[in-house]
Amino acid sequence: MAQEVLINVTPQETRVAILEQGIVQELHIERASSLGIVGNIYRGTVVRVLPGMQSAFVEIGLPRAAFLHAADIMECHTEEGAVKTDRPIQEVLHEGQSIIVQVIKEAIGTKGARLTTEISIAGRFLVYLPYQKHIGVSQRIDHEEEREFLRNRLLGLLPEAREGGYIIRTMSENATDQELLADIEYLRKVWQKIQTESTNVGERSLIFYDLSLPRRILRDVVCTETTSIRVDSREMFERLKEFAELYVSHAVKPLTHYKGERSLFEFYDIENEIEKALARKVELKSGGYLIFDQTEALTTVDVNTGSFVSGKNLSDTIFKTNLEAAQAIARQLRLRNLGGIIIIDFIDMDEDAQRAAVLEELRSAVTLDRARINVNGFSALGLVELTRKRTRESLAHLLCESCQVCQGRGELKTAQTICYEIMRELLRESKQFKNAKEFKILASPEVINMLGDEESQSLANLSDFIKRPVSLHPDTQYGREEFDIVWV
């Protein structure tokens, strides 16, 4: 599938858009103030061990302590390398202990970054596991004969007295022996540098920083089907060209410097795609639409027919809408970088064959996703559950924050509701402050107008009941749900 890569660079942030068949499929953003940390290696200090949770908190120099679970601790070096500990965490770690760790998941929401002691270093074709001995193959390569061929091929290139293990990445299928040997040498040098740095740095310090976003894109995303890589920064273009010549030779030819007057993202209408990816509602070409609701625990997707009525009958309309929705949902998961549990509420279908076809369409669509996805069948309630590996913040969490007006609810109380709250508060304060001669209500113009118009009779009756005058004072600095009652 033809692929294009657009790299927009500013001093504040770097943005990358990945297009397939001319349609934006992925958006990646890395800001100078908060560079991605997945893959980084640190010398950390254990600050708290929690036996009840079989986990520990480790300070690595970030604003929040990172999280290390017992399942991610490697020890017991054997002939096959390190294995995950089977001892209770309190027997392995103690407070104040110095430990080398790697970030496997960025801090998301209120949760700190997740760590592991199983170090892995990614190259172009291989992932090096310095504490292991085995040779693994990417799960994306599912043919057993191909897996065995790649494993034996790599073993033939490695010295008999090798140190460490490897995972063969999918891109190695088309790699030459020279490219694999170059990757092995590169990973060996990186590991030697990490070992040297680990003895020289102090506590809670960075030992190894993974590649910047543009270089990771060249390493992990660019392939032989990539037709163009456009970079709008001359300096970044030169850096990427040098990197590509050393490590990603097939990226040199499509790599170009974009010199247009208009912004690269504006020229390719990427800015508009970003706005759409932040919207709750996604329109389908047929007239149907999707509704995305993202919470900390999971994301729900609701499918609706909307104005789509071109089917032969209702059942056909629903079926066609669900098929189109399956494709659109797969794209939106990548575009928005939604991870964790995703629940999809397709429109109810009566026929088992239609449900099977929609499920197959969804499974086929998500195979293009680089993140690991597991799709389950329809539940008894007619819902489809899938999980998508999450290693970094979603696009919405990266670019947005909770609304300061509604506090993230997504809804505001009506002006009438606020009027009634004000009158209840006025009654309460009249009983508490019996010496008050007058009450002044300060609120937004919208609420004050309703108190002086539609609710004027109710306010007058309340004033008579508490036997004190009430005056209204609009203030544009007040939001709809904000008000103050002042007594004199």
Side-chain angles (χ1 to χ4, degrees):
M1 183 177 291
Q3 182 186 81
E4 296 177 81
V5 178
L6 309 177
I7 303 177
N8 169 234
V9 181
T10 63
Q12 297 78 28
E13 65 181 8
T14 299
R15 302 185 298 174
V16 177
I18 299 170
L19 288 68
E20 294 173 0
Q21 304 294 343
I23 300 173
V24 183
Q25 298 291 340
E26 293 181 37
L27 291 166
H28 301 265
I29 299 175
E30 184 174 78
R31 291 180 170 169
S33 59
S34 56
L35 295 174
I37 62 172
V38 171
N40 288 2
I41 300 174
Y42 296 83
R43 176 176 288 281
T45 303
V46 179
V47 292
R48 192 177 180 191
V49 179
L50 304 173
M53 295 176 60
Q54 282 300 287
S55 59
F57 287 103
V58 182
E59 289 283 3
I60 57 175
L62 299 178
R64 283 199 299 270
F67 178 81
L68 175 63
H69 194 270
D72 296 314
I73 299 176
M74 308 296 292
E75 61 167 3
C76 305
H77 292 263
T78 66
E79 292 183 359
E80 297 301 320
V83 296
K84 292 185 177 180
T85 182
D86 56 0
R87 294 192 294 159
I89 194 168
Q90 61 270 25
E91 295 182 11
V92 181
L93 300 179
H94 60 268
E95 291 185 13
Q97 181 177 345
S98 179
I99 186 172
I100 305 297
V101 290
Q102 186 172 35
V103 178
I104 56 175
K105 185 181 290 186
E106 289 194 18
I108 297 175
T110 59
K111 300 176 182 177
R114 183 158 182 170
L115 307 174
T116 181
T117 63
E118 183 180 12
I119 305 301
S120 63
I121 309 164
R124 172 66 179 170
F125 305 106
L126 305 168
V127 176
Y128 181 52
L129 307 172
Y131 299 139
Q132 297 288 354
K133 293 293 184 182
H134 75 277
I135 303 296
V137 182
S138 168
Q139 294 180 352
R140 286 182 171 274
I141 303 174
D142 50 11
H143 296 292
E144 191 55 42
E145 291 182 2
E146 177 70 9
R147 294 171 65 88
E148 192 62 27
F149 169 77
L150 290 171
R151 189 180 290 110
N152 291 333
R153 181 187 177 196
L154 180 60
L155 284 170
L157 296 174
L158 294 169
E160 291 186 12
R162 63 181 171 87
E163 294 183 359
Y166 293 87
I167 295 175
I168 302 171
R169 306 184 72 176
T170 53
M171 291 184 181
S172 64
E173 290 179 292
N174 300 317
T176 64
D177 287 354
Q178 289 73 22
E179 288 175 325
L180 290 174
L181 286 169
D183 214 32
I184 293 169
E185 180 63 16
Y186 163 73
L187 292 170
R188 186 184 65 81
K189 289 179 179 179
V190 171
W191 176 237
Q192 287 179 343
K193 183 178 179 182
I194 290 171
Q195 288 180 300
T196 302
E197 290 292 326
S198 66
T199 60
N200 295 332
V201 301
E203 295 294 323
R204 310 179 188 189
S205 299
L206 177 66
I207 296 174
F208 168 74
Y209 174 66
D210 200 9
L211 299 176
S212 63
L213 174 60
R215 289 174 176 169
R216 291 201 307 273
I217 292 296
L218 258 60
R219 183 190 69 189
D220 301 335
V221 176
V222 173
C223 58
T224 54
E225 295 179 344
T226 303
T227 58
S228 67
I229 308 165
R230 293 181 174 85
V231 189
D232 62 6
S233 163
R234 166 61 68 178
E235 183 181 358
M236 180 60 72
F237 168 74
E238 295 294 344
R239 291 179 183 174
L240 292 181
K241 184 179 179 182
E242 182 181 354
F243 178 80
E245 288 172 345
L246 288 173
Y247 303 111
V248 197
S249 57
H250 65 267
V252 175
K253 186 176 180 180
L255 185 64
T256 59
H257 177 218
Y258 172 78
K259 302 176 183 178
E261 292 293 327
R262 295 172 62 188
S263 163
L264 181 63
F265 269 34
E266 182 185 350
F267 182 78
Y268 285 90
D269 201 29
I270 308 300
E271 301 289 1
N272 188 42
E273 290 292 338
I274 293 175
E275 290 302 315
K276 289 181 180 179
L278 296 175
R280 182 170 177 257
K281 184 176 181 180
V282 176
E283 301 283 355
L284 301 177
K285 291 182 180 179
S286 64
Y289 62 92
L290 311 174
I291 297 294
F292 283 80
D293 283 312
Q294 187 178 354
T295 69
E296 188 169 341
L298 54 82
T299 298
T300 61
V301 186
D302 186 27
V303 183
N304 298 275
T305 55
S307 59
F308 181 44
V309 291
S310 63
K312 298 176 182 178
N313 48 49
L314 179 60
S315 176
D316 188 53
T317 298
I318 290 172
F319 179 52
K320 288 182 177 179
T321 303
N322 282 338
L323 284 176
E324 184 184 7
Q327 286 285 343
I329 289 168
R331 174 176 177 256
Q332 290 296 324
L333 295 181
R334 294 177 67 186
L335 198 60
R336 297 166 183 247
N337 192 35
L338 298 172
I341 301 172
I342 293 111
I343 305 295
I344 306 173
D345 185 10
F346 285 107
I347 308 167
D348 290 340
M349 295 170 285
D350 296 329
E351 299 180 19
D352 291 340
Q354 290 183 342
R355 283 195 290 269
V358 169
L359 197 62
E360 182 59 31
E361 186 76 8
L362 179 63
R363 284 179 171 147
S364 175
V366 299
T367 55
L368 299 174
D369 202 322
R370 267 176 286 277
R372 188 170 68 247
I373 294 183
N374 294 315
V375 180
N376 296 328
F378 282 87
S379 70
L381 296 176
L383 305 174
V384 173
E385 176 188 293
L386 63 88
T387 59
R388 183 173 186 269
K389 186 176 180 181
R390 175 167 55 188
T391 58
R392 57 188 174 91
E393 289 274 23
S394 68
L395 188 69
H397 284 166
L398 180 64
L399 300 181
C400 307
E401 64 180 5
S402 294
C403 173
Q404 298 302 307
V405 177
C406 71
Q407 304 303 318
R409 296 198 312 269
E411 297 176 322
L412 285 176
K413 295 178 182 177
T414 65
Q416 189 175 46
T417 299
I418 302 303
C419 288
Y420 295 162
E421 286 186 10
I422 288 173
M423 285 189 270
R424 287 195 298 272
E425 181 65 16
L426 189 59
L427 179 61
R428 189 188 68 80
E429 292 200 10
S430 68
K431 295 178 181 179
Q432 183 176 356
F433 304 106
K434 296 182 179 181
N435 295 328
K437 297 178 180 179
E438 179 188 356
F439 288 97
K440 296 180 179 180
I441 299 174
L442 287 75
S444 68
E446 181 184 15
V447 172
I448 293 297
N449 288 340
M450 180 165 283
L451 284 170
D453 187 7
E454 298 174 39
E455 301 298 334
S456 59
Q457 188 59 52
S458 298
L459 187 62
N461 293 339
L462 179 59
S463 179
D464 291 341
F465 180 78
I466 63 176
K467 297 182 174 60
R468 273 161 285 187
V470 177
S471 59
L472 304 176
H473 301 271
D475 191 328
T476 56
Q477 293 187 354
Y478 281 78
R480 182 193 291 177
E481 296 187 0
E482 299 174 324
F483 65 86
D484 285 309
I485 297 176
V486 181
W487 59 272
V488 294

